[in-house]
C-alpha cells in the first residue's frame, strides 16, 4: 500500500465513524422496498448474482450520506455506466423517456423510500468539518511518520 492509498483508507475510516455503511439487514430492506428491481430501469436483480449496486442518490463526493434515505437499488449499467454525474431525477427522466407513467411510478417509489427513512441525505456541515479536521490531524502525524521511516532507510 502506498502512502496515498493509506491516506484514502484513513479518510474513509474516519468518515465511517460518523456515517457508517448500511448493515446487511438494512441492505435487505432496500432490496425488499425496490422489489429486487433497479430503481431506475426496472430490470430484475438477484442477490445471489451479486451484480446489483446500492447507489447514492446524492453522491458521497457531493456530501451525500450513507443514510438509508439516500440509498437505492440499481443495476450495474445504470449506476456504473450511465448515471455518472447526473442528478438522480434528471437521470430517471432520461431513462424513462416519454413514458410518463413509468417515470412517475419509479420517482414515487424512490420518494416513498426517502420519506419512510426520514434521515438526512447529506452530511451536515458540522459532520463534514469534523471528518476534515480529524483527517488533517491524523494526516499530519502520518506524514511525519512516513518521513521518519524514509529517513531511517537511508
Amino acid at each position: 500500500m502506498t502512502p496515498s492509498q493509506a491516506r484514502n483508507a484513513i479518510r474513509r475510516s474516519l468518515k465511517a465513524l460518523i456515517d457508517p455503511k448500511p448493515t446487511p439487514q438494512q441492505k435487505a430492506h432496500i432490496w425488499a422496498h425496490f422489489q429486487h428491481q433497479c430503481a431506475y430501469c426496472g430490470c430484475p436483480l438477484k442477490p445471489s448474482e451479486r451484480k446489483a449496486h446500492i447507489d447514492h442518490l446524492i453522491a458521497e463526493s457531493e456530501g451525500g450520506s450513507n443514510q438509508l434515505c439516500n440509498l437505492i437499488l440499481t443495476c450495474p449499467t445504470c449506476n456504473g455506466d450511465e448515471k455518472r454525474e447526473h442528478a438522480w431525477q434528471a437521470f430517471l427522466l432520461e431513462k424513462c423517456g416519454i413514458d410518463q407513467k413509468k417515470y412517475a411510478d419509479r420517482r414515487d417509489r424512490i420518494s416513498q423510500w426517502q420519506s419512510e427513512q426520514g434521515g438526512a441525505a447529506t452530511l451536515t456541515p458540522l459532520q463534514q468539518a469534523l471528518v476534515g479536521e480529524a483527517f488533517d490531524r491524523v494526516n499530519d502525524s502520518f506524514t511525519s511518520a512516513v518521513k521518519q521511516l524514509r529517513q531511517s532507510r537511508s
Side-chain angles (χ1 to χ4, degrees):
M1 180 179 281
T2 68
S4 294
Q5 291 169 324
R7 281 185 185 87
N8 288 334
I10 291 166
R11 184 184 305 275
R12 283 191 305 274
S13 297
L14 291 169
K15 183 177 178 288
L17 294 171
I18 289 177
D19 188 34
K21 301 280 186 194
T23 66
Q25 295 83 2
Q26 290 170 321
K27 288 180 182 180
H29 189 51
I30 294 169
W31 277 85
H33 179 83
F34 291 100
Q35 301 173 336
H36 295 225
Q37 297 176 353
C38 175
Y40 295 124
C41 72
C43 76
L45 299 166
K46 295 180 182 176
S48 61
E49 292 179 357
R50 301 177 52 94
K51 292 183 181 177
H53 295 201
I54 302 293
D55 185 28
H56 293 84
L57 291 168
I58 300 172
E60 286 184 289
S61 62
E62 297 172 11
S65 73
N66 287 318
Q67 295 277 334
L68 289 181
C69 67
N70 193 42
L71 302 174
I72 61 170
L73 184 64
T74 64
C75 69
T77 301
C78 285
N79 183 42
D81 299 334
E82 296 178 354
K83 183 177 174 253
R84 297 278 177 195
E85 306 302 320
H86 293 82
W88 74 265
Q89 299 95 329
F91 177 71
L92 181 61
L93 186 59
E94 181 182 307
K95 197 72 180 170
C96 295
I98 61 171
D99 191 335
Q100 289 299 306
K101 180 172 178 2
K102 186 184 294 182
Y103 170 75
D105 289 346
R106 292 180 184 162
R107 182 201 61 222
D108 291 350
R109 181 174 302 278
I110 293 170
S111 295
Q112 177 189 13
W113 173 252
Q114 290 179 303
S115 295
E116 287 175 4
Q117 301 316 308
T122 58
L123 294 177
T124 67
L126 175 60
Q127 289 171 317
Q128 291 177 9
L130 288 171
V131 171
E133 289 171 18
F135 177 75
D136 289 346
R137 286 193 305 275
V138 171
N139 187 44
D140 289 345
S141 296
F142 179 78
T143 300
S144 176
V146 168
K147 184 178 179 181
Q148 288 174 347
L149 289 168
R150 285 182 174 154
Q151 288 173 343
S152 72
R153 287 191 308 200
S154 315

